Amino acid sequence: RLDYGELLGGRVRLTETARGWAEAVFDASDFGNFLTYPQVQAAAPRVAGTSFIFKRDGVVIDRAAGRVFFKGLLSGRQITVSLEASNDDFAPTARLLRADDGSGGGGDSAEAAEVEEALTRFFRGLAVDLAGVKLRFAALRLDAAAPSGGEVVRIRLTAEIRRIPNPLTDRI
């Protein structure tokens, strides 16, 4: 029998790593918060020596098109990107839609390809450690949320639990 007081007090220890699956479900606002979460932002890719900076605002989920749109900054320019899940393995692919450089241009095709490749690699390899719970990206799916019916991003994650986080002392 599990004593939740002992668990929450940090007095329950795992004797071996537990492995399994987890799922995170985000509406547009939550996905923007996820992109700007310190661990996610710290892992953001570098393109041509400059870190991609995710923006919290501007996320749009389009389930019918199979895409989630988000914005970021690269070398001071706002970038609009779509993240698409393939139908077969749900591995995401990033597509650069627009790079606002002040002149209305979208940047050159070599730069666009570099941004797309860097962001695709980033999302496919994304991993965060939440005080002993390591979550690694496995799949992306867009769906309707019940009961609101709003559109959501579902991220399937592999999970390794090396220790049980203590909600009183761990910061995640």
Side-chain angles (χ1 to χ4, degrees):
R1 186 170 159 214
L2 182 62
D3 182 329
Y4 287 105
E6 295 291 310
L7 178 70
L8 294 175
R11 294 178 292 276
V12 174
R13 304 241 185 260
L14 296 176
T15 58
E16 62 183 67
T17 300
R19 291 176 172 77
W21 295 94
E23 183 177 65
V25 181
F26 303 109
D27 64 14
S29 176
D30 291 337
F31 193 70
N33 289 330
F34 168 72
L35 292 176
T36 57
Y37 180 70
Q39 284 192 43
V40 173
Q41 188 62 63
R46 295 181 65 79
V47 179
T50 304
S51 291
F52 187 89
I53 300 169
F54 293 103
K55 293 185 73 176
R56 176 174 284 128
D57 299 324
V59 173
V60 175
I61 301 168
D62 186 345
R63 184 171 62 112
R67 299 178 184 174
V68 58
F69 302 91
F70 62 90
K71 298 179 186 299
L73 296 174
L74 185 64
S75 299
R77 296 180 300 146
Q78 182 166 281
I79 305 284
T80 302
V81 177
S82 75
L83 194 60
E84 307 168 3
S86 68
N87 290 332
D88 49 348
D89 62 0
F90 299 103
T93 301
R95 300 279 182 237
L96 179 65
L97 300 179
R98 186 175 67 244
D100 298 329
D101 61 6
S103 65
D108 64 41
S109 61
E111 178 189 52
E114 188 176 358
V115 171
E116 290 175 351
E117 182 180 326
L119 286 170
T120 296
R121 255 192 340 267
F122 168 76
F123 281 103
R124 290 182 180 187
L126 181 60
V128 294
D129 189 320
L130 304 176
V133 178
K134 185 172 185 177
L135 302 172
R136 180 174 295 279
F137 184 92
L140 174 83
R141 192 176 55 152
L142 306 178
D143 207 351
S148 71
E151 296 180 329
V152 296
V153 176
R154 292 182 182 275
I155 299 178
R156 186 158 167 88
L157 306 149
T158 61
E160 288 185 6
I161 304 171
R162 293 184 303 280
R163 71 178 189 85
I164 299 170
N166 183 323
L168 302 176
T169 59
D170 290 323
R171 184 176 166 107
I172 56 174

